[in-house]
C-alpha cells in the first residue's frame, strides 16, 4: 500500500503510524468501534467512458483514525477481514454508496468493492436487494467489483450468487484483472460485465512492449466475449491515448480524477455536465 501515491494515503504512512500498526491488537480494537464513531467514510473516484464523459464512480473506503490520521484500505481491510468485521463494514459501504448515488444524475453508476467475506456470507443477495429497494436505486446503476481471490473456489454457490445478482440487474466486474491467477475458466464460467485491467499493466504501457501486448490481448479477449474493459491507474495522457486507440471502453486514474469526498464528487458531476453542455472548453477532457 505504501507504494501507492494517492494523495493522503502513502504520505500519512509515517513512523508513528508504523509503530501503532505493530500493535495490531490496538488497531483491531479501535476498528471495532470505528463504524459506531463514524470514522469510516467513502471517497469516490470517477470512471470515464472513452472519449471523455463521466459514467460513474467507484466507492473507496477510508478510515479517519482519531490519532493516526487517514488509514488506507490496503492496511485495515485485511485486519477487518481477519477479525470477521468486513461483512458488517461491507454492508455499511453498500448502503452509503447506494444512497449517495441517488443524488447523482440517473445515468451514473456506482461501483462497490466486495470482500471475500461479504461475497461468501450467503446473505449478500438478500441484503443487496433490500438496500437498493430501501434507498431507491435502480439495480442497473450498481456494479460490484470482485477479485479473483473471491472466486478461488468455483463452486455452485458462487455461481448462484453471481447469477442471482445478474438476474437482479446488478453489474459485475472482475477487479485487478491480470494479477492473481487470471484463470480463463473464470471468464468462461462466470457472468462478468466488465474486466478491470490492473494498474500493474497500465503503469509502463508507454515503454513496455510486453504490457502493450498483454493489454491489447485482454481487450480483444474481453470484447470477443461481450465484456467491456476498464483500465485502472491511468496517470498519463500517453497511456490514455494508447488505451483509447486500442478500444478500451473506460478509463480510471489520477489523470482523470482522484478519489474525492462525496460533496466534491457531486460538484465534479455538476461541473462535467455544465462543461459538456456548454460545448466550450471541456475541462474534464484530459486528453
Ligand atoms: P481497487 O478496487 O483496485 O481500487 C483502485 C485503487 O487504485 C484505489 O486505491 C485507488 O485510489 C487507486 N488508484 C486509482 N487511480 C490511481 C492512479 O492513477 N494511480 C495510483 N497509483 N493509484 C490509483 P485504494 O483506495 O487505496 O484502495 C485499495 C484497495 O482496497 C482497492 O483496490 C480495493 O481492493 C480495496 N477497497 C477499497 N474500498 C473497499 C471497500 O469498500 N470494500 C472492500 N472489500 N475493499 C475495498
Ligand atoms: Mg475496485
Ligand atoms: Mg482494481
Ligand atoms: Mg487494483
Amino acid at each position: 500500500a505504501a507504494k501507492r501515491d494517492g494523495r493522503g494515503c502513502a504520505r500519512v504512512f509515517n513512523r508513528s503510524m508504523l509503530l501503532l500498526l505493530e500493535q495490531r491488537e490496538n488497531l483491531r480494537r479501535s476498528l471495532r468501534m470505528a463504524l459506531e464513531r463514524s470514522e469510516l467514510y467513502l471517497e469516490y473516484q470517477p470512471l470515464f467512458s472513452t472519449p471523455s464523459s463521466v459514467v460513474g464512480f467507484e466507492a473507496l473506503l477510508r478510515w479517519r483514525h482519531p490519532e493516526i490520521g487517514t488509514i488506507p484500505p490496503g492496511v485495515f481491510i485485511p485486519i477487518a477481514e481477519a477479525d470477521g468485521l468486513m461483512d458488517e463494514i461491507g454492508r455499511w459501504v453498500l448502503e452509503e454508496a447506494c444512497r449517495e448515488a441517488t443524488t447523482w444524475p440517473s445515468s451514473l453508476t456506482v461501483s462497490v468493492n466486495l470482500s471475500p467475506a461479504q461475497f461468501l456470507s450467503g446473505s449478500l443477495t438478500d441484503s443487496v436487494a433490500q438496500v437498493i429497494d430501501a434507498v431507491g436505486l435502480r439495480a442497473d446503476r450498481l456494479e460490484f467489483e470482485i477479485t479473483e481471490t473471491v472466486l478461488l473456489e468455483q463452486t455452485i454457490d458462487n455461481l448462484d450468487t453471481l447469477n442471482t445478482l445478474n438476474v437482479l440487474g446488478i453489474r459485475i466486474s472482475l477487479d485487478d484483472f491480470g494479477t492473481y491467477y487470471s484463470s480463463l475458466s473464470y471468464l468462461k464460467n462466470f457472468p462478468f460485465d466488465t474486466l478491470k485491467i490492473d494498474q500493474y499493466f497500465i503503469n509502463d504501457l508507454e515503454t513496455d512492449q510486453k504490457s502493450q501486448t498483454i493489454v491489447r490481448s485482454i481487450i480483444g479477449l474481453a470484447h470477443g466475449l461481450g465484456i467491456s474493459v476498464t483500465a485502472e491507474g491511468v496517470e498519463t495522457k500517453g497511456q490514455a491515448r494508447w488505451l483509447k486507440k486500442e478500444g478500451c471502453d473506460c478509463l480510471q486514474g489520477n489523470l482523470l480524477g482522484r478519489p474525492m469526498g462525496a460533496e466534491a464528487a457531486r460538484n465534479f458531476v455538476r461541473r462535467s455536465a455544465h462543461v459538456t453542455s456548454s460545448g466550450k472548453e471541456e475541462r474534464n477532457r484530459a486528453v
Side-chain angles (χ1 to χ4, degrees):
K3 83 172 203 305
R4 296 230 155 105
D5 68 345
R7 210 169 23 197
C9 290
R11 241 175 269 165
V12 295
F13 207 99
N14 53 29
R15 232 187 120 66
S16 64
M17 180 170 171
L18 274 177
L19 282 175
L20 271 152
L21 280 178
E22 278 157 16
Q23 300 168 291
R24 201 181 154 100
E25 182 59 26
N26 274 344
L27 211 55
R28 204 171 62 89
R29 234 180 285 134
S30 41
L31 189 51
R32 284 190 168 277
M33 288 176 300
L35 249 189
E36 293 161 35
R37 292 178 179 165
S38 307
E39 293 167 7
L40 299 182
Y41 66 99
L42 297 177
E43 285 192 332
Y44 300 88
Q45 185 176 31
L47 291 145
F48 285 77
S49 70
T50 46
S52 60
S53 48
V54 189
V55 288
F57 289 87
E58 177 176 5
L60 294 162
L61 183 57
R62 306 289 181 246
W63 180 10
R64 197 184 289 110
H65 189 287
E67 285 129 45
I68 303 174
T70 303
I71 304 179
V75 173
F76 71 87
I77 288 181
I79 299 175
E81 279 274 352
D83 209 24
L85 292 171
M86 212 42 220
D87 197 24
E88 190 186 344
I89 292 175
R91 220 172 306 135
W92 176 82
V93 170
L94 176 63
E95 189 168 342
E96 178 77 11
C98 287
R99 182 168 294 123
E100 189 58 35
T102 62
T103 71
W104 307 335
S106 64
S107 60
L108 297 189
T109 60
V110 63
S111 303
V112 174
N113 293 283
L114 284 187
S115 75
Q118 246 180 312
F119 189 79
L120 301 171
S121 74
S123 59
L124 177 69
T125 50
D126 284 344
S127 58
V128 69
Q130 254 167 40
V131 166
I132 57 177
D133 188 52
V135 306
L137 187 75
R138 240 176 38 229
D140 66 357
R141 296 186 59 197
L142 173 62
E143 176 167 74
F144 280 132
E145 299 194 358
I146 60 175
T147 59
E148 284 155 294
T149 47
V150 168
L151 300 173
L152 274 186
E153 291 161 59
Q154 299 194 41
T155 62
I156 296 288
D157 283 352
N158 285 348
L159 187 58
D160 267 1
T161 304
L162 287 178
N163 282 334
T164 306
L165 295 173
N166 206 258
V167 167
L168 283 171
I170 293 163
R171 300 190 223 183
I172 314 284
S173 77
L174 187 54
D175 206 351
D176 300 346
F177 188 74
T179 57
Y180 304 110
Y181 301 92
S182 300
S183 161
L184 296 180
S185 60
Y186 297 132
L187 297 185
K188 183 171 152 95
N189 296 328
F190 294 123
F192 296 111
D193 298 283
T194 305
L195 285 192
K196 294 188 81 173
I197 306 178
D198 197 76
Q199 55 189 66
Y200 176 72
F201 299 102
I202 307 299
N203 289 338
D204 59 4
L205 207 49
E206 286 168 278
T207 52
D208 192 301
Q209 294 263 337
K210 288 185 182 171
S211 287
Q212 293 180 3
T213 302
I214 291 169
V215 170
R216 195 179 285 126
S217 305
I218 295 175
I219 293 171
L221 173 66
H223 285 172
L225 294 167
I227 298 173
S228 84
V229 181
T230 299
E232 298 191 293
V234 179
E235 292 182 345
T236 69
K237 293 188 180 185
Q239 291 163 358
R241 242 181 265 124
W242 191 91
L243 289 159
K244 287 181 181 188
K245 183 175 65 105
E246 295 297 330
C248 184
D249 306 283
C250 279
L251 307 182
Q252 176 180 18
N254 293 345
L255 173 72
L256 300 144
R258 289 170 180 271
M260 58 190 100
E263 198 185 325
R266 271 178 247 155
N267 291 332
F268 190 89
V269 169
R270 224 169 281 137
R271 218 163 47 231
S272 315
H274 167 73
V275 169
T276 311
S277 62
S278 80
K280 285 183 202 153
E281 181 207 21
E282 291 195 31
R283 253 190 295 161
N284 286 319
R285 183 166 197 152
V287 219

